[in-house]
Amino acid sequence: MRTGVFIVQANEEGLEGVNLHAVELYAANLPHVEKVRNLGVRPRLDPLALAEEIKASGLERVVIAGDSPGFFKPVFTRAMALAGADTDEVRLASFREHGATGMGTPRAESIVACAVYGVPFPLAARPGTTATVPGTLIIGGGVAGIQAALEIADAGKPVYLVERQPTIGGHMAMFDKTFPTLDCAACILTPKMVAVGQHEMIDLMTYSEVEDISGSPGHYKVRVRKKARHVDIEACVACNTCSEVCPRSASSEFDSGIAARKAIYIPFPQAVPNAYVLDEASCLYFESGGEKCGVCAKKCPKECIDLTEKDQIVEFEVGNVVIATGYDVYDATKIERYGYGKFPNVITALEFERITNASGPTGGKIVTKVLRHNKRKKVDEWVLDPEGPPPNRVAIIHCVGSRDAQHNPYCSRVCCMYSLKFAHLVREKLPEATCYEFYIDMRAFGKGYEEFAERIQAEGTYVVRGRTARIVEENGQMVLKGEDIVQDRMVDMPVDLVILAVGLVPARGSDRLAAMLGIARDEDGWFSELDYNSDPTDTERGGVFVAGACQAPKDIPDTVAQASAVAAGVLKSVNTGRGLDSRADLSLSEIEARARSLARV
Amino acid sequence: MAIRVNPKLIDELEVYGAEDVQNCYHCGNCSAVCPFSKEPYIFPRRPMRYLQMGLEDKLKGSLEPWLCYYCGQCSEECPRGAEPGETMMSLRRWLTSKYDFTGISRAFYKSGKVELFTVIGAALLTALGFVLWAVLRGGDINSYDGPNAFLPAASIHIFDWALAGVLLALLLTNCGRMWWFTLGRDKQLRTPFWLYLKKLYLLPLHFVTQKRFATCERKRPWAVHLALVVSYLIMLVLIMFFLDLMWSGPEIDWRVHVFGYIATVGLLGTTIFALRARLKKAEPLYAHSHETDWIFLILLIFAAFTGILQHILHRVGFDAAANVTYIVHLMGVVPMLGLEVPFSKWSHLAYRPLAMYFSAIRAEAKERAEKEAVEPTLAAQPVA
């Protein structure tokens, strides 16, 4: 079948790691390929001219290759029809969809080869199976990791759940409410956390990090560093005596830094495991090299504090690995114009979650920070006081760090909805306050989300289209400047509290993990799935799965759904004893040979 | 009133330099960072919206492009790389071509080649005309001033005034069209005559001081621009009123020449600065250069250099050389004035101050109208 290969580019830079010139040469040498032409960057194509070209070369099949070639399928279909050829013979060689980002030129070439032979790429590049041991490692103990762990463990299969923080729960544990149902986040998550803590099939390793993963699909050797917690999890009854006597404090990670915790502390009362942890970095005993303090160990009624404990290395073998590392929020200090870090009452979304959370430092009261004199440090400090003044005007700024060529180009997906939730919480707790949402586009995409957005608007929140340009201080008052696009006027408004709806970025350490496992990440740093549409939980590496926001920004329902889907994939291999091998290991010639043999059938 | 949409408008603007308008997603960042964007003139986002929607008539009636001085803050902070600053610049080019009824301006902006060849043609025609005229009336090539002068000051003076008259007529017609598009055509707007008188002071004020330009956060472009304007004004006054004093020589007449020197330093300095900045793309204002910008700058620097040269040659007594250089000088100056002032970049010397003037009139007329109407609401009203 006489075939023409047309290469299209989505942008000038092309796909990272793909040498288009090499792909062209490769395609030209494939059997039946009569013509290879690079159409350039986002070409404007004329179907008549294309039809002439198709006719002139007598093409019977056309392959459109490149990053998102589907954009050009209609024009080629029309050209084929005009040329009198079979319109079904327009084949797509989609580099992005089949993982050429990260897998490089040979992958792009094999995608083109499959299209030229008229064989679906996933069919030709289907890896074989390999014997798999039953254990599963889950990295990350947020809601994705918890859900996947419970699904697998409830099926009676062993799970190792490794979490960096001293407790599982992740970001969801910090939230007050979930959207769009306004359910209490803790009420949903805490029972699951407790179930994980008590499950006989789950080996929970908190305050631990995966140091190394080696081996092959079905047999991964894992080395985990269990950081010295200095508190015996089994013996600790969380009586708080140690914290009471501890002289040192640091800012609380769980409270997003807006409150303090002691050097020996429990992240929050419902933590799992429900045990205290000693943070060496802020502890006076460790700072002084063991000469000072140590009072917690002396006062502990259960004598469960061991100041001499060392980090422990644990090694085990698993058949599958689930990545559920989630996200971090965008660093708002990078956007100077919003004055985060400069104005005390410009806060991030996570900070607001803690302020409005009944278990947070203000007991759920929404207040602004006030200037207080710290007698011990002899400086004036902005502090959160539960009795402090509530804000009269609250502005919520959407898309902070998202959809911005200078920061993150992508939409973080959850910010619109959580911002609307914030507006509801503000209006609910402070009926006198006015609340403004400054948005670019309202992305209420899920079940019940649009209704939620309408409800918030109906409640009396002012929803203003137009991104805020900057926060400034005028005569001691914070002033927000922007444009109200619908009303066609400038906004120049005094505000008391500004909440920045910061976007999501891949969790710290994702790069190391990707290198360790040999899986790809996309341009934005999120882990790449095997196939965007049909294999959203698998990766190029056999037995390695992605769940939740580590693959792309996701809300809680989607995260939970994906985690359960991952569990299904894991259980399939554990139950049959055989899992998929790595697609990454398939060579170009193997895929090409398979495509050729499939084409003959 | 029916609104006609020109769906090709956004493509048409591409030749004027606006290439990234379609990237804009209307977050309003640009309008909010702009130091000039105040009600009722909110930009650059609004003109960009008009452009995306193809509202040609609305754009034609916009004064906003002229209120922008291209400090580039909007382009720097644009999250989409839509280059709002460059779009405003392109709109100014486009508006210049719309104000001009002859269509010459449009041809210039659409093709740098057309402008270049016209400039060269005009230069050759100028040279030919002056040489022919001097030879026919029996001028002595070795005499610069005096009764036998190759080109006598009195004749040049008459030529200057004639040229000025033609240019002024062209420019005034264009300004009249600008008034029609922006104020005259708007039937809803009631602009009484006294309002025009009341705001008239704005015209000379903005023309001489470039006061608004100084509002930008970056002050250097304003200083450079002001120096250029003042230098040109000095030169204009000298040539239009004191040409005979400038002409006589070879001894230097300090009463006029001291001003001439100041203006020359100003012209040369600012032009070299602008040329360097455009080559280096030093600031957002200079980052994108249209062909017309280059032609304008080259003509400027050409005129300045040949002017200095003929001045020196005349003072040191090389009258023949001075005469030749003067003709070359005219070859730069005549196309520069004759083509750039009514049809190209230079016309903004009239449009900008006029825009300030018109915008003040329109703003006040609107305000008066609004006072009579109901008070507007503060922000998006909740549905409740």
Side-chain angles (χ1 to χ4, degrees):
Chain A
M1 196 174 264
R2 296 169 68 89
T3 307
V5 177
F6 294 88
I7 293 175
V8 287
Q9 275 173 263
N11 51 38
E12 281 78 4
E13 301 86 47
L15 275 187
E16 204 184 317
V18 177
N19 180 350
L20 277 184
H21 188 65
V23 176
E24 276 172 54
L25 287 178
Y26 170 82
N29 286 323
L30 282 170
H32 314 303
V33 172
E34 298 294 324
K35 186 180 181 71
V36 178
R37 192 154 83 88
N38 190 334
L39 296 169
V41 178
R42 289 189 297 265
R44 288 187 185 180
L45 299 175
D46 173 20
L48 284 170
L50 280 179
E52 285 305 314
E53 209 176 323
I54 289 165
K55 251 192 236 166
S57 307
L59 299 183
E60 293 161 293
R61 173 179 288 166
V62 164
V63 171
I64 321 170
D67 179 3
S68 311
F71 280 108
F72 303 96
K73 193 168 182 185
V75 66
F76 273 96
T77 308
R78 178 144 173 71
M80 287 291 267
L82 287 169
D86 183 358
T87 50
D88 287 345
E89 286 302 339
V90 179
R91 305 276 171 161
L92 300 181
S94 178
F95 291 173
R96 186 178 296 269
E97 188 183 351
H98 301 307
T101 32
M103 303 306 292
T105 310
R107 172 57 60 87
E109 286 167 355
S110 54
I111 295 166
V112 172
C114 289
V116 165
Y117 287 116
V119 175
F121 178 80
L123 199 63
R126 183 151 191 87
T129 58
T130 177
T132 299
V133 301
T136 302
L137 165 70
I138 298 178
I139 308 170
V143 65
I146 290 171
Q147 178 75 11
L150 285 176
E151 297 270 25
I152 297 166
D154 283 349
K157 306 297 173 192
V159 172
Y160 303 89
L161 181 56
V162 178
E163 167 60 47
R164 185 153 63 186
Q165 300 296 331
T167 172
I168 57 170
H171 283 111
M172 188 177 169
M174 299 161 73
F175 299 163
D176 182 26
K177 294 280 194 296
T178 61
F179 60 77
T181 48
L182 295 173
D183 287 328
C184 147
C187 310
I188 303 166
L189 190 65
T190 317
K192 283 181 189 277
M193 287 165 62
V194 172
V196 167
Q198 293 174 344
H199 211 294
E200 54 180 3
M201 295 310 286
I202 299 178
D203 185 350
L204 178 59
M205 286 172 253
T206 52
Y207 213 47
S208 306
E209 279 194 75
V210 175
E211 281 216 321
D212 188 47
I213 300 176
S214 57
S216 56
H219 299 273
Y220 287 111
K221 286 186 180 56
V222 184
R223 194 167 76 228
V224 172
R225 173 179 293 269
K226 282 182 150 179
K227 284 186 274 183
R229 193 180 180 114
H230 300 291
V231 176
D232 184 344
I233 293 175
E234 303 302 323
C236 177
V237 290
C239 67
N240 202 35
T241 313
C242 53
S243 240
E244 274 167 17
V245 297
C246 178
R248 280 300 182 88
S249 58
S251 72
S252 159
E253 293 84 2
F254 185 75
D255 282 329
S256 308
I258 58 168
R261 55 141 173 95
K262 289 295 179 60
I264 185 162
Y265 67 104
I266 187 162
F268 59 106
Q270 294 77 26
V272 171
N274 203 264
Y276 278 60
V277 56
L278 193 150
D279 171 28
E280 291 183 11
S282 52
C283 174
L284 181 59
Y285 178 84
F286 286 92
E287 195 181 89
S288 63
E291 289 178 7
K292 291 182 188 165
C293 202
V295 64
C296 51
K298 289 169 205 150
K299 295 276 180 181
C300 178
K302 303 284 284 184
E303 293 178 352
C304 63
I305 300 174
D306 175 11
L307 292 171
T308 60
E309 189 188 346
K310 294 275 174 294
D311 286 6
Q312 228 182 316
I313 302 290
V314 190
E315 286 186 319
F316 50 90
E317 193 186 46
V318 294
N320 295 293
V321 177
V322 179
I323 309 173
T325 48
Y327 64 90
D328 284 338
V329 293
Y330 193 73
D331 178 7
T333 53
K334 286 185 190 163
I335 311 173
E336 269 177 44
R337 59 175 185 268
Y338 292 142
Y340 178 72
K342 185 174 149 206
F343 302 125
N345 286 313
V346 176
I347 61 172
T348 65
L350 270 183
E351 289 169 15
F352 182 78
E353 290 280 6
R354 293 312 301 157
I355 290 177
T356 189
N357 194 313
S359 73
T362 61
K365 281 190 180 171
I366 299 172
V367 292
T368 54
K369 286 183 194 164
V370 283
L371 198 60
R372 288 275 161 77
H373 187 71
N374 185 329
K375 280 180 193 151
R376 207 153 51 84
K377 288 186 193 162
K378 296 197 174 80
V379 283
D380 287 336
E381 277 178 340
W382 289 93
V383 291
L384 269 177
D385 179 352
E387 301 308 318
N392 286 321
R393 281 162 171 272
V394 181
I396 305 169
I397 303 176
H398 290 224
C399 292
V400 174
S402 306
R403 302 184 69 202
D404 189 326
Q406 294 167 14
H407 302 281
N408 288 329
Y410 54 85
C411 167
S412 291
R413 225 165 101 118
V414 293
C415 327
C416 280
M417 295 311 293
Y418 76 59
S419 298
L420 290 168
K421 175 187 80 182
F422 288 172
H424 172 80
L425 295 173
V426 169
R427 298 276 306 150
E428 182 184 65
K429 294 184 179 178
L430 306 168
E432 298 300 311
T434 29
C435 190
Y436 296 83
E437 299 260 350
F438 291 92
Y439 72 103
I440 310 174
D441 296 296
M442 193 62 81
R443 302 206 157 161
F445 56 92
K447 178 169 161 176
Y449 288 12
E450 182 63 27
E451 293 86 336
F452 183 70
E454 278 171 15
R455 179 179 156 195
I456 302 302
Q457 213 166 342
E459 278 176 359
T461 295
Y462 293 84
V463 180
V464 184
R465 192 179 195 283
R467 174 141 101 171
T468 304
R470 57 187 50 188
I471 310 292
V472 294
E473 193 170 350
E474 284 173 5
N475 307 324
Q477 170 71 46
M478 266 205 303
V479 176
L480 176 147
K481 300 203 179 249
E483 187 190 0
D484 181 341
I485 285 162
V486 175
Q487 299 277 318
D488 205 4
R489 52 174 56 235
M490 302 306 292
V491 176
D492 195 341
M493 190 177 75
V495 283
D496 305 319
L497 182 65
V498 176
I499 306 169
L500 303 178
V502 283
L504 273 45
V505 293
R508 172 175 56 88
S510 296
D511 47 348
R512 200 175 62 92
L513 196 55
M516 203 189 287
L517 285 163
I519 60 172
R521 298 197 300 156
D522 63 18
E523 306 91 320
D524 302 317
W526 306 104
F527 291 111
S528 297
E529 63 291 317
L530 185 61
D531 188 301
Y532 192 77
N533 293 307
S534 60
D535 276 315
T537 54
D538 296 6
T539 65
E540 291 281 345
R541 178 77 45 197
V544 177
F545 298 83
V546 282
C550 67
Q551 180 226 355
K554 252 183 221 86
D555 55 12
I556 291 166
D558 287 2
T559 297
V560 171
Q562 197 184 13
S564 292
V566 163
V570 168
L571 287 172
K572 185 170 66 185
S573 66
V574 173
N575 276 351
T576 58
R578 288 192 81 78
L580 280 186
D581 224 327
S582 299
R583 187 156 89 182
D585 293 342
L586 290 177
S587 71
L588 170 60
S589 53
E590 273 177 276
I591 298 175
E592 197 194 315
R594 186 107 50 93
R596 199 180 308 132
S597 68
L598 282 167
R600 278 204 206 99
V601 176
Chain B
M1 196 183 74
I3 291 177
R4 204 184 308 155
V5 169
N6 174 4
K8 293 241 162 94
L9 186 64
I10 196 164
D11 298 327
E12 283 171 24
L13 253 291
E14 240 173 76
V15 295
Y16 293 89
E19 288 166 354
D20 305 303
V21 189
Q22 64 273 28
N23 284 359
C24 172
Y25 64 13
H26 301 280
C27 63
N29 221 359
C30 47
S31 303
V33 297
C34 177
F36 296 116
S37 179
K38 301 222 167 64
E39 281 159 50
Y41 301 107
I42 300 178
F43 60 96
R45 193 198 59 79
R46 186 151 61 178
M48 292 190 72
R49 185 73 176 156
Y50 289 162
L51 207 47
Q52 285 184 338
M53 294 173 81
L55 302 179
E56 193 171 346
D57 278 348
K58 284 241 184 211
L59 271 176
K60 233 156 75 176
S62 290
L63 289 166
E64 283 90 342
W66 299 110
L67 304 180
C68 156
Y69 282 97
Y70 204 168
C71 63
Q73 249 177 300
C74 50
S75 291
E76 273 172 13
E77 295 209 14
C78 176
R80 298 276 298 170
E83 296 283 349
E86 187 55 21
T87 308
M88 297 300 275
M89 182 74 227
S90 313
L91 277 173
R92 287 193 285 278
R93 293 181 189 127
W94 179 78
L95 281 175
T96 305
S97 79
K98 286 286 160 190
Y99 297 156
D100 170 42
F101 66 95
T102 60
I104 296 175
S105 174
R106 198 174 134 82
F108 282 0
Y109 277 120
K110 284 212 155 170
S111 159
K113 275 196 198 108
V114 170
E115 182 171 11
L116 190 64
F117 286 127
T118 318
V119 165
I120 292 170
L124 292 176
L125 218 62
T126 311
L128 193 71
F130 277 104
V131 170
L132 264 181
W133 178 69
V135 170
L136 285 179
R137 62 173 288 282
D140 179 6
I141 187 79
N142 289 314
S143 164
Y144 190 81
D145 49 354
N148 264 336
F150 191 63
L151 295 167
S155 321
I156 295 289
H157 200 64
I158 293 166
F159 174 77
D160 281 351
W161 278 98
L163 183 64
V166 173
L167 295 187
L168 207 62
L170 281 171
L171 205 55
L172 279 180
T173 350
N174 290 353
C175 291
R177 281 166 64 82
M178 178 182 177
W179 170 81
W180 174 246
F181 292 148
T182 56
L183 288 178
R185 212 167 43 165
D186 195 343
K187 291 280 177 295
Q188 264 124 40
L189 202 69
R190 286 212 317 275
T191 43
F193 186 66
W194 61 264
L195 205 52
Y196 283 92
L197 287 181
K198 185 182 162 193
K199 299 283 176 191
L200 195 61
Y201 73 96
L202 288 171
L203 266 182
L205 178 74
H206 283 294
F207 189 77
V208 178
T209 63
Q210 316 279 310
K211 184 168 109 139
R212 243 178 100 88
F213 204 161
T215 321
C216 288
E217 227 166 73
R218 295 185 176 88
K219 302 291 178 206
R220 205 161 64 165
W222 163 72
V224 172
H225 197 258
L226 183 65
L228 185 69
V229 169
V230 170
S231 307
Y232 254 95
L233 278 179
I234 295 172
M235 236 11 159
L236 187 76
V237 170
L238 286 178
I239 286 170
M240 297 310 279
F241 299 103
F242 303 100
L243 189 71
D244 42 342
L245 293 180
M246 297 276 286
W247 201 271
S248 60
E251 59 284 336
I252 290 166
D253 187 341
W254 284 105
R255 285 174 301 166
V256 290
H257 278 125
V258 67
F259 292 107
Y261 294 147
I262 292 172
T264 308
V265 169
L267 285 178
L268 215 54
T270 51
T271 321
I272 291 173
F273 172 84
L275 215 51
R276 266 174 53 106
R278 277 197 187 274
L279 283 172
K280 283 180 158 177
K281 307 190 175 201
E283 291 194 38
L285 166 60
Y286 303 118
H288 307 264
S289 297
H290 196 256
E291 285 149 328
T292 50
D293 297 326
W294 292 117
I295 294 176
F296 177 65
L297 274 178
I298 289 165
L299 279 174
L300 266 181
I301 208 149
F302 181 79
F305 263 117
T306 51
I308 296 167
L309 195 62
Q310 72 68 40
H311 178 73
I312 294 170
L313 288 170
H314 176 42
R315 302 300 141 185
V316 297
F318 294 135
D319 277 9
N323 274 323
V324 173
T325 322
Y326 187 65
I327 301 247
V328 175
H329 178 59
L330 286 176
M331 285 171 76
V333 172
V334 172
M336 178 172 82
L337 293 172
L339 298 174
E340 294 281 329
V341 170
F343 306 123
S344 193
K345 190 173 168 80
W346 225 356
S347 54
H348 80 273
L349 77 97
Y351 301 149
R352 253 200 213 285
L354 264 184
M356 318 284 164
Y357 176 49
F358 289 165
S359 65
I361 291 169
R362 188 150 86 178
E364 189 157 329
K366 259 197 169 167
E367 204 179 302
R368 278 160 45 83
E370 260 171 31
K371 255 185 207 158
E372 287 161 25
V374 207
E375 280 291 308
T377 45
L378 176 88
Q381 280 296 329
V383 183

